[in-house]
């Protein structure tokens, strides 16, 4: 495709690449146009505002999440696969986590995932209102679990601005944090662990542990509800 031939899809793909590289703060029409080898006015012809661009780019990456076949698997396997797919997508594109707090995000990509989430928990046996709650609970957990890696990317980018030494700033912060943690017994016990060496890291397998715990709770609730109905 010639460099001067723009389409909305091509602009969105380039915007995703720019957002992955530079984050929300690095996205502007001039930088995007330069990446596309075009003029900013040509970009505006297809997509009118930066907010529209973030919304469209955000919705496009939802299509990266593979939707499990509910006819071919049980609800818990589907729930685990879907939550893991969402978490992986949010980790690949940490700017989307931040965009939830600053942009109005919607579109068919996000909607198809929301619809699949509801179908999973309806298949599990939840009534409509509780399926809504279960889907929202899992999504909130997935989003929160992706916040740490997203924050790390954003922090590193900010600390590195203007040629600053991000690693040294992080080391200084860790020294100060360690001095503070030494005052508290449980933190003091953990200071020699791998997780303690990462400023925003969670222990290994935290996401998997949390998701299993949520789904265990759902199964227990469904069992209790079934037992009450049989009485």
């Amino acid at each position: 495709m010639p460099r001067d031939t723009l389409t909305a899809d091509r602009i969105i793909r380039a915007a995703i690449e720019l957002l992955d590289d530079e984050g929300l703060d690095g996205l502007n029409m001039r930088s995007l146009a330069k990446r596309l080898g075009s003029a900013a006015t040509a970009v505006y012809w297809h997509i009118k505002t930066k907010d529209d661009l973030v919304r469209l780019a955000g919705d496009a990456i939802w299509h990266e999440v593979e939707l499990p076949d509910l006819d071919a698997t049980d609800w818990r396997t589907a729930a685990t696969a879907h939550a893991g797919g969402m978490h992986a997508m949010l980790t690949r594109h940490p700017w989307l986590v931040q965009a939830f707090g600053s942009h109005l995000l919607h579109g068919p990509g996000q909607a198809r995932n929301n619809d699949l989430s509801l179908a999973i928990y309806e298949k599990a046996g939840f009534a409509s209102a509780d399926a809504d709650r279960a889907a929202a609970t899992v999504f909130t957990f997935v989003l929160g679990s992706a916040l740490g890696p997203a924050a790390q990317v954003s922090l590193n980018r900010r600390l590195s601005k203007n040629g600053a030494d991000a690693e040294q700033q992080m080391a200084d912060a860790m020294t100060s944090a360690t001095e503070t943690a030494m005052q508290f017994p449980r933190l003091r016990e953990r200071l020699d662990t791998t997780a303690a060496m990462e400023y925003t890291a969670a222990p290994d397998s935290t996401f998997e542990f949390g998701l299993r715990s949520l789904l265990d709770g759902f199964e227990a609730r469904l069992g209790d509800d079934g037992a009450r109905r049989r009485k």
Side-chain angles (χ1 to χ4, degrees):
M1 180 181 293
R3 294 283 292 176
D4 60 348
T5 301
L6 287 184
T7 64
D9 285 345
R10 184 171 168 232
I11 292 169
I12 291 166
R13 288 196 302 271
I16 292 169
E17 293 173 0
L18 181 57
L19 285 160
D20 288 346
D21 290 343
E22 303 293 339
L24 285 174
D25 292 341
L27 178 66
N28 58 71
M29 294 303 197
R30 180 172 295 179
S31 296
L32 180 59
K34 182 177 180 180
R35 184 174 288 243
L36 288 162
S38 184
T41 51
V43 175
Y44 281 115
W45 179 261
H46 294 275
I47 299 174
K48 301 302 181 186
T49 68
K50 178 180 174 179
D51 285 346
D52 286 341
L53 187 58
V54 172
R55 175 178 57 79
L56 292 166
D59 193 62
I61 58 178
W62 274 104
H63 289 278
E64 296 178 10
V65 180
E66 185 175 350
L67 303 188
D69 182 357
L70 294 186
D71 293 329
T73 189
D74 63 277
W75 77 266
R76 180 154 180 161
T77 300
T80 301
H82 188 232
M86 289 192 293
H87 186 262
M89 181 273 288
L90 291 169
T91 302
R92 284 193 301 273
H93 306 288
W95 53 270
L96 184 59
V97 176
Q98 299 167 318
F100 276 107
S102 57
H103 291 76
L104 296 172
L105 300 175
H106 57 87
Q110 186 174 345
R112 69 193 276 271
N113 277 273
N114 292 343
D115 189 73
L116 186 278
S117 292
L118 295 176
I120 288 172
Y121 298 108
E122 287 179 354
K123 179 173 182 175
F126 283 117
S128 180
D130 281 345
D132 292 353
R133 296 184 182 100
T137 298
V138 170
F139 178 68
T140 301
F141 169 72
V142 170
L143 189 62
S145 297
L147 182 60
Q152 186 69 61
V153 170
S154 179
L155 180 62
N156 287 341
R157 188 176 289 126
R158 186 178 69 81
L159 293 178
S160 299
K161 278 187 176 180
N162 302 319
D165 188 338
E167 288 188 7
Q168 185 59 54
Q169 293 180 73
M170 288 292 293
D172 292 344
M174 282 300 304
T175 298
S176 180
T178 299
E179 292 172 354
T180 301
M182 287 295 291
Q183 303 172 44
F184 301 90
R186 292 169 187 80
L187 298 180
R188 188 165 56 245
E189 290 175 2
R190 289 163 171 78
L191 285 175
D192 60 348
T193 66
T194 301
M197 302 304 294
E198 298 291 340
Y199 191 66
T200 59
D204 290 344
S205 302
T206 294
F207 174 74
E208 292 79 7
F209 175 85
L211 181 59
R212 283 197 306 271
S213 298
L214 277 178
L215 300 183
D216 286 346
F218 290 169
E219 282 195 324
R221 186 180 184 91
L222 287 165
D224 290 344
D225 289 346
R228 282 194 294 270
R229 285 194 296 269
R230 287 192 295 271
K231 287 182 178 180

